[in-house]
Amino acid sequence: MRVPLSWLREFVPYEGSAEELADRLTTTGLEVESIIRPGQSLQGITVGEVVEVKAHPNAERLSLCSVTTGGEAISVVCGAPNVAAGQKVPFAAVGAVMPGGVKIKKVKIRGEVSLGMICSEAELEMGDDAAGIMVLPDDAPVGESFAAYKGLDDEILDVEVTPNRPDALCVYGIAREMAALYNLPLAAYETSVAESGAPATEQISIEVEDAEGCPRYSARLIRGVRVGPSPAWLAGRLQAVGLRPINVIVDVTNYVMMEIGQPQHAFDLQRVKDGAIVVRRAGQGEALRTLDDELRTFTPEVLLITDGESPLAVAGVIGCIDSQISEETTDILLESAHFNPVRVSIGGGLLGLMTESRKRFERGTDPTLPGRAADRAASLMAELAGGKVAPGIVEFIAPGVNEVRTISTQKAWIDGLLGVDIPDKQACGILERLGFEVADGARAGTWEVGIPPWRPDVIEQAHVAEELARVYGYDELGSDATLSGAAPEGPTPRQRLRENLRDALVRLGLYEV
């Protein structure tokens, strides 16, 4: 999980260095493998404007361009067929070093002096297009650092998230950890949305036939969108976390997934018959062509999103090519759901597909989040694509989805396990900063600990103790207990049996996990 430090700071007022944060996260269970600084390879490259383009007097396929970065125009020889006056472009002046290590020098090409280079995607290592120059939007600010304009002048933490921590597969999850570790305030993400027009319930419907596989399904309706490229800040954010921008609608769903951890899917409403969503198991041999342009067939173990007749998506894994967002799309049916981790794992496994969506669903997402995430995404679609959000959210919620799980434990038991007496007030503060709720139980000294819905891995009191230990600090733990008595010699029969079984399974080709 790649997490830009600037994005984290939007939620937590952290003023320390990236290195300090990486060390602290690593010691508390979220290992930071590296700190990436993508802007370092783009130093000396700025946003320029092509002022004039003339034919090269001595070469038919070359152009003689004048480029400005805010000052006097610079003469540049360019061989790209798509260069034109008025374009905003990435420009490497003399002295700049390209990502591939090439230093830009003053050169003479066919008798004309060239004092820089207008760059292509391939030369910037930001795409595969080497035939033409990279053309930036008209509002790109001339003279600004290209890295800053693309949001790449940042420090990005590459965090190795263990399978038991699905909550950490998003920026907000890491920010929550930061707030707890440094005792800093955690800002809320924006979920307010302006609504207009006919209610969504009059235009779309939800039916869930398999509530075990889909305990919650939320949908929003956004009409009148204009599908096009995302603004630079959004595209830059996605590139910073390792995702490729596609179009503004799809990019918004990916942005919300990376921001708060809720995968979503946008359907072209015109491709959804009667605006009806039916969540059901697949029929034997039922097929659809997925977004990777592969025709896939299913078994009844796979959960599908359909319109009552045709499949629209494999739940939690991948969408259908027939209902994808295109430039002709004007109305969006936005899916924001909670799927059973096992059902998603089976579906993705049978298809041999590992997607960012599946990675999160099969580890366990927050069942209370879909509605808030739908509001967040709908608001961004309205803002960035000019859409109008229909009033209301259409939802199916199975009984018990919003129930808070609790664990009963005794503070004395926790202190004994950890070997240290953490003051009650400090212990409660740590748990509450992590999202837990602590209340006195019926018996003296007993705590009833409410587990946050984004932590499916916390299922017993030892897990509560572990949460305290890692934030309090493993280095602070200790014990004044001493061992006494004779220790048994060698492994017990049970231990020998266990070891022999493990060795046998490994010899048979299995991997120990």
Side-chain angles (χ1 to χ4, degrees), residues 7-184:
W7 203 346
L8 290 169
R9 284 175 169 152
E10 291 183 6
F11 299 113
V12 181
Y14 173 74
E15 297 180 356
S17 68
E19 286 77 9
E20 178 191 344
L21 177 59
D23 288 343
R24 191 71 187 275
L25 288 173
T26 298
T27 59
T28 56
L30 294 174
E31 181 181 356
V32 178
E33 294 189 329
S34 62
I35 300 173
I36 305 166
R37 295 178 171 90
Q40 287 185 337
S41 64
L42 298 171
Q43 292 183 9
I45 300 173
T46 56
V47 175
E49 182 176 3
V50 181
V51 178
E52 184 182 20
V53 177
K54 298 186 297 185
H56 192 292
N58 305 314
E60 183 179 344
R61 296 188 177 183
L62 297 178
S63 300
L64 191 59
C65 306
S66 293
V67 180
T68 180
T69 57
E72 186 176 345
I74 303 167
S75 178
V76 180
V77 176
C78 179
N82 64 326
V83 66
Q87 291 174 333
K88 304 292 180 65
V89 294
F91 178 69
V94 172
V97 179
M98 301 298 292
V102 176
K103 186 174 183 178
I104 303 300
K105 300 178 180 178
K106 175 182 177 181
V107 295
K108 184 174 285 189
I109 303 175
R110 294 290 185 95
E112 296 291 335
V113 173
S114 183
L115 298 173
M117 183 172 72
I118 304 173
C119 308
S120 69
E121 288 183 356
E123 288 161 340
L124 296 173
E125 297 184 356
M126 298 183 70
D128 300 325
D129 187 0
I133 59 169
M134 184 178 186
V135 180
L136 305 178
D138 292 339
D139 60 357
V142 174
E144 183 175 351
S145 159
F146 177 72
Y149 169 70
K150 295 294 287 185
L152 300 174
D153 59 335
D154 206 345
E155 296 170 299
I156 301 172
L157 277 60
D158 190 0
V159 184
E160 179 64 29
V161 180
T162 52
N164 67 312
R165 291 298 306 276
D167 62 298
L169 284 172
C170 64
V171 173
Y172 199 73
I174 303 293
R176 186 188 294 115
E177 287 285 304
M178 291 172 60
L181 294 173
Y182 291 97
N183 198 12
L184 294 171

Side-chain angles (χ1 to χ4, degrees), residues 406-490:
T406 60
I407 292 175
S408 181
T409 187
Q410 288 190 314
K411 178 60 167 44
W413 182 89
I414 291 177
D415 291 341
L417 180 67
L418 300 182
V420 63
D421 184 7
I422 304 175
D424 287 10
K425 183 177 181 180
Q426 185 176 0
C428 286
I430 290 172
L431 291 173
E432 287 168 356
R433 293 200 302 274
L434 289 169
F436 294 78
E437 297 177 358
V438 183
D440 292 335
R443 292 182 298 136
T446 301
W447 282 359
E448 297 295 333
V449 181
I451 312 304
W454 57 83
R455 292 299 302 272
D457 58 309
V458 178
I459 57 177
E460 58 184 53
Q461 57 180 341
H463 295 145
V464 177
E466 183 181 7
E467 292 300 296
L468 280 173
R470 66 187 189 83
V471 177
Y472 183 72
Y474 292 120
D475 292 343
E476 302 298 323
L477 304 183
S479 176
D480 58 2
T482 57
L483 296 176
S484 62
E489 294 182 5

